[in-house]
Every structure is written in structure tokens, then in C-alpha cells.
Amino acid sequence: MIVATEVTMTSRRPAWVGGVLSLVMLMAANAAAHHSFAVFDHTRTLTIRGTVTRFQWTNPHGFLEMDVPQPDGSTKHYSVELTSINMMQRVGWRSNMIKAGDKVSAVVAPLLSGEPVGLGLEVTMADGTTKALPVPNVGSFKRATETQ
Amino acid sequence: MKTRQLVWSLPLVALAAVVVMQSGARAQSKPVSVPDITGSWERHGAGPGARAGGPRDATIPPPAPQPQLKPQYAKEWQDRIMAGRAADAKGEPLATNYTDCLPDGMPTMMGAMFPMEILQSRGQVTIIEEAFTQVRRILMDKPQKSFEDVEPGFYGHSVGRWDGDTLVVDTIGIKETVRFQNMPHSPQMRIKERMKLVSPNVLWNEITIEDPVVFEKPHTYTVAYRRMPDYTLLEYICEDNREYADDKGRQKIRIN
């Protein structure tokens, strides 16, 4: 049972491309986000599967707390940071969509620091439906293909 | 017979008097010539790709010009922007007011990151920004105070008046820590706004920031909002803010 798969994607762009991109990202972020998402890895995503311990419906951000079984039989706790619940509600998210005990999976942009926190990009619920999070400038997060 | 007619007609006369009095009061509090801008609004024409391709939408205002700061302040501003970019590139963003869940304040809140509600009532126009539940009160037809008489805050002291179909607002008293696009400003900053419907459902707000200490010349830009006829603002409480500034001023996340 593989429960957490990381695929690292690296790419090298000329420095000026990065400069222009970061300027554009800065402007876009200013237009739509309160908080900097620069703490999250923009070059890879992680798919985590586990059991929900709490679906926290709060501002400034919601959180999906998950216990994720590891290959060695242990359990690792992950916090999936979501957007503002106001943004989530405006695109159809509801506080009762996920409950403690649900088996879910989430595609996250992991913290660069390596700590077990990721920015949620989409969640596949217990019933199999997948719902995206309204992350501003979501295209700046490179999706890795999950391999199991 | 005459008496009975009189008895019947008395309540009618009283009713008519009430109707006349009520309509008179309504006319006094809100003249018919004042545009109705009450309701929910969202930012119109902002964000990536808003102006890309296709014929130009005349209800989308032109992009903001570059602010003209005096050299010493321009340098401070530029340095701050570059430091922010370098920190982002390292994945260690600098903490901002948002890190502490502090509201935008003026004039950033008029960028309407989240929907915004305008309420017109007697003697006051109230603007509520959903994010952080920011509230500003525009006192109508009142004189502006002097800088010395206004304590610094996030929203400042605002007075307004209708100039024909345009709501003209003057705001002073913004804290120096409350910054628009990271720009420095002095206690002498004054924000002037001109709000006008450019179509039945699109409101423009031409914002001019004056600051004789920091700016070479006033900085004017326009933001647009479109009506959200069926939207009620949601509550916004910073109930569990896991972000914090570390001892080096970097934004960090508390790990639960």
C-alpha cells in the first residue's frame, strides 16, 4: 500500500523568465490572495491518502487534517491548508462535505521546509468525487503525475 | 347623514396625511436624483487575462499608471519590493499585515479582493468588505476634519457628498503601517474617491492618493465593480490563523 507518493519535477529556466514570472505572480497574488503561497513548492505536487481527523471550516484558511498510513505501518499526520472558506463557499464547497473518519485523498503543494503541511489543490472525497480548491493563480503550481 | 360621511372620511384624511408625511420624509432622506448603489459588488475587470484578447470592454478601466514617488521614497519602496521578491524566490516570504490577519485598510480594501457591500442610509454611506469584515463609514455632507483632529487608523475619517451622479469622498487619517502596494506614506496622505455608475450594473471608483511628503504628484487609478444582485456577504472571522512572523520577519506556518 503506497499512501504518499512524491514526484519531484525540476526544470531550469533562464533567470529573466523567472523574474518576469515572479513579477506576474506577484501582481496576480496581490489581486487575489491575502497570504503568500511562496512557502509551498511550486515545482511538484504530492498526493496523500488517508483518514480525515478534522475538516476545519475556519478563516483565514480552512484545514483538512489527515492521518496518513505509511509503508512501514506507522501513521503520519498531515495538515492540508485550504483557501479562505469564503472563496470555497463561493465555488460550492460546504462544511458538511467531509467528516472525520472519511477516507479521502488530496493533491497538495508541499511545504518547501519538508514539514507535513501542503496547500490543497484538489480533494477526492469518500464518495469518489473530486473537487478543486479555488487557489489563486493555481496554474503556477506544477502538477506531478502520481506513480504508485 | 352629513355626520356619518364625516366619520367615514376622517380615517381617510388621516391616512392620506400619513402617506404624505412618509413620502416627504423619504424624499428628504434620499433625493430621487441620487443614484442607487446599495447592494453587493465584486471587482470587475481585474486579474490575469481580464484584458487579454477580444475587443476592449468599455466598462473595464485602463490599467493604473506607475506611482511617482520622490526619489528617497522611491528607493525605499523599490528596495522593499526587491527584498520581497528575493524572499519569495527563496520560499521564505516576508511577513505582512496579512500574516497577523490584519485588514487591508484604505485604500487597498477598495480593491475588493472579496465582494463588497454598499449601504446608503440617511447621512451616511457604509462600505463593507467581506474579507476581514472591514467597515468604513462615509459621513455625508459633513466638513472634513483637520489632520491633527483625526487619530490614525485602518479606514481613516471619510466625508462624502453627491456631485451630481458622482459620490465624492475624502479620507484622511491612515496609519503609516497601513500600506497600499507596499508604498510608504506620511500622515498627510489624503485619499479622494469619485464613484460613479458607468452602466446600470458597473460602478467605477476613481481613486487619487495625495501625499505632498512622499509623492511627486498625486497617484490616480480606477477600479470597477459589478453588481452581484443575488449575493449576501459572508462572515469572515480570523478564527484560526496558523501563520506568524518569526524573529527574522519571515512568514511561517504553525505546525499542528
Side-chain angles (χ1 to χ4, degrees):
Chain A
M1 173 177 59
I2 306 256
V3 285
T5 307
E6 292 189 46
V7 178
T8 305
M9 295 181 66
T10 54
S11 67
R12 282 282 157 257
R13 292 183 297 255
W16 67 267
V17 174
V20 170
L21 279 179
S22 64
L23 178 62
V24 170
M25 280 160 57
L26 183 76
M27 291 162 71
N30 281 346
H34 292 145
H35 305 270
S36 174
F37 288 143
V39 290
F40 298 108
D41 196 336
H42 283 61
T43 66
R44 67 192 181 113
T45 51
L46 180 67
T47 301
I48 56 177
R49 287 196 173 78
T51 304
V52 174
T53 59
R54 188 157 52 131
F55 180 39
Q56 185 181 302
W57 190 254
T58 55
N59 275 320
H61 292 250
F63 280 91
L64 181 61
E65 302 290 349
M66 292 171 65
D67 278 341
V68 179
Q70 300 296 294
D72 65 3
S74 66
T75 298
K76 191 171 181 179
H77 186 81
Y78 268 91
S79 294
V80 180
E81 181 167 345
L82 311 172
T83 61
S84 159
I85 54 172
N86 297 46
M87 294 167 75
M88 289 170 65
Q89 197 167 331
R90 279 195 286 276
V91 296
W93 279 86
R94 296 292 177 263
S95 61
N96 62 3
M97 279 182 171
I98 302 176
K99 293 178 213 48
D102 283 0
K103 306 265 190 245
V104 302
S105 70
V107 176
V108 305
L111 265 187
L112 285 163
S113 68
E115 292 162 302
V117 177
L119 175 67
L121 303 182
E122 65 179 49
V123 176
T124 300
M125 329 263 181
D127 68 0
T129 57
T130 297
K131 198 157 176 60
L133 275 309
V135 173
N137 201 20
V138 71
S140 69
F141 292 94
K142 233 181 220 316
R143 299 290 183 109
T145 309
E146 184 191 352
T147 55
Q148 289 194 39
Chain B
M1 209 49 184
K2 272 188 177 174
T3 309
R4 193 177 296 166
Q5 276 178 343
L6 188 62
V7 168
W8 273 107
S9 61
L10 268 176
L12 286 174
V13 170
L15 181 68
V18 167
V19 168
V20 166
M21 280 164 66
Q22 280 189 340
S23 60
R26 200 174 296 139
Q28 260 183 358
S29 65
K30 193 175 161 192
V32 285
S33 60
V34 169
D36 182 2
I37 57 171
T38 289
S40 299
W41 299 85
E42 65 184 330
R43 184 71 184 269
H44 175 57
R51 298 173 64 82
R56 189 179 175 278
D57 180 347
T59 65
I60 297 177
Q66 186 73 12
Q68 304 292 313
L69 277 66
K70 291 184 177 174
Q72 65 270 36
Y73 296 103
K75 168 103 175 53
E76 181 198 330
W77 184 41
Q78 197 62 28
D79 289 349
R80 191 185 295 265
I81 290 172
M82 297 311 285
R85 257 178 233 167
D88 279 356
K90 278 202 299 183
E92 296 179 343
L94 302 177
T96 65
N97 277 3
Y98 293 138
T99 307
D100 295 325
C101 247
L102 292 175
D104 302 298
M106 279 296 289
T108 309
M109 70 174 275
M110 295 311 289
M113 190 186 306
F114 283 8
M116 191 175 85
E117 183 174 33
I118 302 178
L119 301 169
Q120 292 164 277
S121 56
R122 195 186 317 128
Q124 184 172 309
V125 173
T126 308
I127 300 182
I128 304 167
E129 161 58 32
E130 186 180 283
F132 304 100
T133 318
Q134 299 176 81
V135 181
R136 59 187 293 231
R137 296 173 177 83
I138 300 163
L139 309 178
M140 299 299 288
D141 303 312
K142 291 276 197 310
Q144 181 57 288
K145 294 183 175 182
S146 66
F147 286 113
E148 295 72 33
D149 291 334
V150 178
E151 301 304 338
F154 281 76
Y155 313 122
H157 183 265
S158 298
V159 295
R161 65 184 169 83
W162 283 98
D163 176 8
D165 57 1
T166 304
L167 176 61
V168 179
V169 184
D170 185 283
T171 301
I172 60 169
I174 307 298
K175 279 188 182 221
E176 288 178 71
T177 52
V178 175
R179 292 186 162 200
F180 173 61
Q181 294 178 344
N182 244 328
M183 268 187 280
H185 69 86
S186 79
Q188 290 178 52
M189 179 170 75
R190 180 181 296 276
I191 302 162
K192 292 179 171 174
E193 295 167 277
R194 296 183 63 84
M195 297 182 215
K196 182 184 175 178
L197 289 169
V198 295
S199 75
N201 294 316
V202 176
L203 179 70
W204 276 23
N205 187 6
E206 183 195 85
I207 301 171
T208 298
I209 309 172
E210 296 178 355
D211 190 333
V213 177
V214 172
F215 281 1
E216 292 279 19
K217 59 173 191 146
H219 175 52
T220 300
Y221 63 100
T222 301
V223 291
Y225 320 102
R226 61 177 167 264
R227 279 191 205 273
M228 303 174 82
D230 301 317
Y231 186 79
T232 303
L233 257 66
L234 301 170
E235 68 170 39
Y236 185 107
I237 313 289
C238 276
E239 187 179 353
D240 180 23
N241 180 26
R242 299 192 189 179
E243 290 175 6
Y244 65 96
D246 71 4
D247 53 3
K248 291 181 177 147
R250 295 173 302 195
Q251 176 195 306
K252 296 284 182 183
I253 295 177
R254 188 185 80 230
I255 310 296
N256 270 22

